[in-house]
Amino acid sequence: MSTTDLSPAIQPNAPRHSAMENAQGISIGVFFCAVGLVFLTHLGFLTGQTAGLALIISYLSGWSFGPVFFAVNLPFYWVAWTRMGRAFTIRTVFCVTLLSVLTEWLPGQIGLAEVSPTLGAIVFGTLTGTGLLILFRHGGSLGGLGVTALLVQDRLGIRAGYVQLAFDTSLFAVAFLLFPSSVVAYSLLGAVVLNMVIAFNHRRDRYIAT
């Protein structure tokens, strides 16, 4: 649940979002992601990036996802500070903290019973992909591997997208060893939908506000 393209726009004369617009946009984006994760965790599915790592730790340990996700992101804040700057890091800490809180609170507010695995994976991918799009457009981030991938790209010349792909491939390979194949298959469906939402809609050259 991250991206290697964290800038919301490239248009030099594009109008800028106000602080209030950014605050509401980031809050709504995190909320969408949190609701998507409620469906995902209800079904016991996985996803990629640091959220996927946190889910595996959560399922195996019995610890709640929210605190684990918050803890998993702690090492990445230094990288974000040095690579992306103070403002981006502060927004990232806020987004990660808010998501951690919401994923703890929402399950008690949403009574999910029987959810089709296919529909659940699609709902997760659609909601979370939309939430991430909103975050990107308002300069928000859920932290994690994306920033580190950019650092590896700068230091070693390995494209950031390949770094993230290698991490996700390894993550799902481990998941195949730990969880039923059906769980991993539905999880992959959710990941594909999420990435399709971002791929088809995240066009910096078409978005005119920053």
Side-chain angles (χ1 to χ4, degrees):
M1 293 169 59
S2 61
T3 181
T4 55
D5 182 7
L6 298 165
S7 302
I10 60 174
Q11 312 241 353
N13 298 317
R16 301 189 68 83
H17 290 302
S18 67
M20 181 62 70
E21 288 170 337
N22 281 330
Q24 65 83 32
I26 288 172
S27 299
I28 292 172
V30 173
F31 179 76
F32 271 47
C33 291
V35 175
L37 281 165
V38 168
F39 278 85
L40 194 76
T41 54
H42 175 75
L43 292 166
F45 294 163
L46 303 162
T47 188
Q49 306 294 305
T50 47
L53 178 60
L55 283 169
I56 289 178
I57 295 173
S58 174
Y59 292 150
L60 295 179
S61 66
W63 299 335
S64 296
F65 169 79
V68 174
F69 180 69
F70 182 85
V72 164
N73 274 284
L74 289 176
F76 295 99
Y77 294 143
W78 178 83
V79 180
W81 186 282
T82 57
R83 179 63 175 78
M84 305 299 293
R86 180 178 66 177
F88 175 81
T89 305
I90 291 173
R91 288 195 297 268
T92 298
V93 172
F94 172 77
C95 291
V96 170
T97 302
L98 181 59
L99 183 72
S100 299
V101 171
L102 285 175
T103 52
E104 289 296 294
W105 178 70
L106 282 173
Q109 313 301 313
I110 302 175
L112 297 178
E114 293 295 326
V115 178
S116 160
T118 301
L119 178 60
I122 293 173
V123 169
F124 159 75
T126 304
L127 286 179
T128 306
T130 302
L132 288 171
L133 281 173
I134 297 172
L135 285 180
F136 300 159
R137 291 181 174 181
H138 290 275
S141 164
L142 289 175
L145 188 67
V147 177
T148 303
L150 287 170
L151 182 64
V152 172
Q153 178 174 276
D154 290 345
R155 298 286 177 84
L156 302 178
I158 303 173
R159 293 185 62 177
Y162 293 153
V163 175
Q164 293 191 126
L165 178 61
F167 180 87
D168 281 349
T169 300
S170 301
L171 188 73
F172 277 101
V174 171
F176 266 114
L177 300 176
L178 298 174
F179 302 97
S181 57
S182 59
V183 168
V184 181
Y186 284 120
S187 299
L188 285 170
L189 171 62
V192 168
V193 172
L194 186 157
N195 283 287
M196 286 179 63
V197 169
I198 293 175
F200 286 127
N201 294 281
H202 186 49
R203 288 288 303 274
R204 297 168 69 226
D205 57 328
R206 289 181 179 174
Y207 192 61
I208 60 171
T210 63

